[in-house]
């Protein structure tokens, strides 16, 4: 079974803090994704990566950056957390070869910025 | 951007009933996926569809890839209380590499 883990289930940070969300997958997947999920807005793609050290902006990259130094790990960074970044953050991975576009999600990190 | 339409936002059914959910778009998709999300958890993949017309089952769940490639549906038969959750459809546009487009989800409630 594919396993995607996220470093924290719940996180509380203060406005202006730098926040790191970590995601690790154990299936040697090429692609990794970061989404945020808000009520009524569904899943919105922040950034994704299709290879080590490669990244591409998603639909809402402002205020975020990412890092992928190793294939299995994809980090989301909030440079200076703001209250409007309070949300559920979901990491996903997918094989990315042939017809394997199925994304597998981690359990999520619920971030509260006060 | 492209959107997948799921409606209504919420559905309420009685335990034992069957329920059907649609996902529609004005664009053609090459892949359709259905996910379920339990409260406080990440979405879990239920069914993946790769060919127009394809009908796939997973236990009490059945999903179909529409012939026009612009829609998909998910059926749940003989619902049980643990079917409660949010059901998302997702699709891959031609040329979209590995990115998926997600619907906003339907929250299903099952009355015992």
């Amino acid at each position: 079974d594919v396993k995607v883990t996220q470093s924290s289930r719940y996180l509380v940070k203060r406005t202006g803090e730098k926040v790191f969300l970590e995601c690790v997958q154990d299936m040697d997947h090429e692609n990794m994704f970061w989404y945020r999920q808000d009520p009524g807005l569904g899943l919105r793609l922040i950034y994704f990566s299709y290879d080590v050290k490669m990244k591409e902006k998603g639909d809402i990259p402002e205020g975020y950056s990412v890092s992928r130094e190793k294939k299995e790990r994809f980090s989301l960074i909030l440079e200076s957390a703001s209250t409007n970044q309070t949300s559920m953050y979901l990491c996903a991975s997918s094989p990315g070869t042939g017809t394997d576009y199925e994304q597998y999600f981690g359990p999520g990190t619920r971030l509260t910025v006060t | 951007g492209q959107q997948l339409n799921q409606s209504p936002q919420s559905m309420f059914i009685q335990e034992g009933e069957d329920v059907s959910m649609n996902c529609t778009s004005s664009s053609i998709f090459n892949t359709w996926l259905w996910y379920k999300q339990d409260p406080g958890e990440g979405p879990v993949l239920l069914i993946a569809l790769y060919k127009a017309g394809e009908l796939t089952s997973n236990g009490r769940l059945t999903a179909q890839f529409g012939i026009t490639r612009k829609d998909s549906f998910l059926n749940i038969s003989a619902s049980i209380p643990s079917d409660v959750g949010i059901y998302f459809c997702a699709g891959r546009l031609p040329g979209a590499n590995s990115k998926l487009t997600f619907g906003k989800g339907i929250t299903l409630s099952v009355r015992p």
Side-chain angles (χ1 to χ4, degrees):
Chain A
D1 279 354
V2 176
K3 191 159 186 186
V4 180
T5 57
Q6 295 184 230
S7 50
S8 305
R9 294 299 301 271
Y10 300 93
L11 211 52
V12 180
K13 295 291 182 181
R14 294 194 173 179
T15 301
E17 278 193 83
K18 191 168 186 175
V19 181
F20 293 86
L21 302 182
E22 305 285 340
C23 176
V24 178
Q25 51 93 4
D26 67 356
M27 285 302 291
D28 201 35
H29 282 176
E30 302 292 328
N31 304 313
M32 297 187 75
F33 307 81
W34 274 107
Y35 296 89
R36 65 176 283 177
Q37 183 178 27
D38 301 287
L41 298 178
L43 291 164
R44 292 183 290 168
L45 182 64
I46 305 171
Y47 267 98
F48 68 102
S49 168
Y50 51 89
D51 201 354
V52 175
K53 297 191 185 295
M54 304 300 287
K55 61 184 180 185
E56 286 207 20
K57 293 179 180 179
D59 300 319
I60 51 163
E62 297 78 19
Y64 303 94
S65 62
V66 290
S67 172
R68 192 166 181 202
E69 297 295 319
K70 293 185 177 181
K71 190 174 186 179
E72 67 271 18
R73 187 179 297 269
F74 193 35
S75 303
L76 180 69
I77 303 153
L78 285 66
E79 297 291 343
S80 177
S82 64
T83 54
N84 63 12
Q85 292 178 311
T86 291
S87 186
M88 174 73 139
Y89 289 87
L90 291 163
C91 175
S93 71
S94 72
T97 58
T99 58
D100 292 331
Y101 300 108
E102 301 160 14
Q103 290 185 18
Y104 298 88
F105 286 84
T109 295
R110 186 163 293 282
L111 172 68
T112 302
V113 182
T114 61
Chain B
Q2 301 298 332
Q3 288 191 331
L4 291 180
N5 303 307
Q6 290 187 265
S7 65
Q9 201 169 1
S10 302
M11 298 180 79
F12 298 86
I13 61 173
Q14 201 74 32
E15 184 177 358
E17 287 183 345
D18 299 346
V19 63
S20 184
M21 304 176 189
N22 285 344
C23 186
T24 62
S25 175
S26 57
S27 301
I28 288 174
F29 284 82
N30 283 348
T31 303
W32 288 94
L33 304 166
W34 284 92
Y35 289 87
K36 182 196 176 198
Q37 185 177 27
D38 291 329
E41 301 292 331
V44 173
L45 181 65
L46 298 174
I47 293 178
L49 303 158
Y50 288 99
K51 295 180 183 177
E54 181 180 355
L55 185 72
T56 297
S57 293
N58 178 7
R60 292 178 296 106
L61 308 177
T62 302
Q64 186 159 27
F65 191 139
I67 289 292
T68 65
R69 296 167 61 194
K70 294 182 179 181
D71 61 358
S72 176
F73 74 77
L74 175 72
N75 275 354
I76 304 173
S77 63
S79 59
I80 59 178
S82 62
D83 290 334
V84 165
I86 305 176
Y87 290 82
F88 292 97
C89 62
R92 188 182 73 87
L93 291 163
N97 295 322
S98 297
K99 286 174 62 177
L100 298 177
T101 301
F102 285 85
K104 292 187 178 179
I106 293 175
T107 299
L108 179 67
S109 299
V110 179
R111 287 187 284 256

